[in-house]
Amino acid sequence: MKIRYATMIVDDMAESVKYYTETFDFTFDEEFDVPGGKITLLNGDGFAGLELIESTAFETGIYSIGMDVEDINEEIKKLEEKGANIALKPVETQVGYMARVIDPNGINIVLVQHTR
């Protein structure tokens, strides 16, 4: 598994995008409208990026850590065998498949298998 992104819930998307692009030199990748809000993806120098979500459905702050996996079903099977709290079994998404695990502190760990 590789850490791919951190997801942050933000109050003001424009201000947050400006901050991370101008202050930390992230580059704009994509933006999506979702029910009740917006998602913006920013790329850093390395493999990892930021996913910013502006939505009144969530409190501001860190929401999740995203990890890329080669075979999501195999990873979920291994995690289940180790007693991990699987909150969401693999489901199809726009980019492939995702699943969600909750760590002992309540932090969401999102596994993503890119197929598109």
Side-chain angles (χ1 to χ4, degrees), residues 46-115:
F47 183 70
L50 295 176
E51 176 182 46
L52 305 177
I53 299 176
E54 182 181 68
S55 172
T56 57
F58 303 100
E59 289 187 36
T60 302
I62 298 262
Y63 178 74
S64 69
I65 302 296
M67 300 202 184
D68 272 348
V69 299
E70 294 290 323
D71 184 332
I72 199 162
N73 293 310
E74 183 63 30
E75 292 297 338
I76 289 297
K77 181 180 172 186
K78 286 181 196 176
L79 291 167
E80 285 176 324
E81 289 170 357
K82 293 177 180 181
N85 178 2
I86 311 299
L88 177 68
K89 296 261 187 170
V91 295
E92 194 167 359
T93 68
Q94 291 179 327
V95 298
Y97 296 91
M98 70 167 278
R100 187 167 50 91
V101 178
I102 300 176
D103 88 346
N105 303 292
I107 296 170
N108 291 295
I109 308 298
V110 178
L111 307 180
V112 179
Q113 178 184 337
H114 290 271
T115 59

Side-chain angles (χ1 to χ4, degrees), residues 26-39:
F26 278 81
T27 57
F28 177 85
D29 184 17
E30 293 182 77
E31 183 173 86
F32 305 95
D33 288 322
V34 294
K38 218 177 248 214
I39 296 175

